[in-house]
Amino acid sequence: MATLRAAHGPDVWATDNAVVREAYQEAVMTLADHRNPRALSDLIRSLETRVDDWRVLYGVGGYPQAADRLVPLPADGLRFIDPVRPNAPIPASLYLSCLAELKDPIAVPVITDTLTWAGRHQSWGVVTRALDALASFGLDAQPAHVVVRPLTNAPGEAVRAAARATLNALSDPHATRTPFPKSGNAYGKEPPH
């Protein structure tokens, strides 16, 4: 990485040379896979510039110690999701997965806002994923209770079941929390569709 930076400049993650860019990004993501702090600045830069940020979203969950710097970035990405096309260009579920993995309660209001707009637009897949993300926070997500409760009567058994499980997680400190399911395979060479 240092050699590529020296040869191509500090913003090698976004260089026009596709071969160099891919090699550098693979190196960064390998470090991220091992939770190496040397990858963090490139992860943050990618999320800030939105250059190949789809790739970075698979790796930032391993840096809870930097959640205060990381959470606002995928949260900002969620604000640009089109409720009519929630899986393009980057799936809302990938942003939600990232926020759930970071485990910082500052993400709860963002996830709750996502749940609200997804419900309003009847984007039930996003609703379910947002509920799963909230459930992963347990008692820290209690402020979302008022938004979650009406979804126990939503259309679709999957949404109702996710709402009931989330309510349980928000109110029972001993509730078993299942880890938020990842979407897609880690560090693929193609962006999610």
Side-chain angles (χ1 to χ4, degrees):
M1 286 171 59
T3 302
L4 289 174
R5 263 196 228 104
H8 299 278
D11 205 18
V12 67
W13 177 278
T15 185
D16 290 336
N17 183 322
V19 173
V20 171
R21 183 176 64 245
E22 185 169 330
Y24 186 80
Q25 289 181 2
E26 288 293 329
V28 170
M29 296 315 297
T30 298
L31 287 176
D33 194 32
H34 296 289
R35 312 306 190 234
N36 190 304
R38 291 178 292 171
L40 192 55
S41 62
D42 284 299
L43 300 178
I44 290 170
R45 181 82 176 121
S46 173
L47 288 169
E48 288 173 341
T49 62
R50 298 187 184 233
V51 174
D52 293 337
D53 55 338
W54 59 270
R55 173 174 275 189
V56 169
L57 289 168
Y58 289 108
V60 297
Y63 294 91
Q65 72 278 16
D68 59 328
R69 294 171 64 200
L70 289 168
V71 167
L73 300 171
D76 193 43
L78 270 173
R79 291 184 181 95
F80 290 100
I81 296 290
D82 178 354
V84 178
R85 298 178 59 231
N87 293 319
I90 295 176
S93 60
L94 188 51
Y95 288 115
L96 291 165
S97 173
C98 177
L99 292 170
E101 279 188 80
L102 286 168
K103 290 283 186 251
D104 193 307
I106 64 171
V108 169
V110 175
I111 297 169
T112 305
D113 289 347
T114 301
L115 179 63
T116 300
W117 70 249
R120 189 169 40 248
H121 292 280
Q122 299 183 358
S123 185
W124 302 119
V126 177
V127 166
T128 303
R129 297 294 282 191
L131 287 167
D132 291 342
L134 284 173
S136 74
F137 285 90
L139 297 176
D140 288 333
Q142 276 185 333
H145 189 277
V146 68
V147 176
V148 174
R149 167 122 348 250
L151 292 169
T152 59
N153 295 317
E157 179 52 36
V159 175
R160 291 192 300 271
R164 288 189 299 270
T166 301
L167 287 175
N168 188 41
L170 300 187
S171 59
D172 182 357
H174 304 292
T176 305
R177 284 189 232 155
T178 54
F180 187 88
K182 279 289 221 183
S183 59
N185 13 339
Y187 321 136
K189 297 205 184 292
E190 297 298 324
H193 301 289

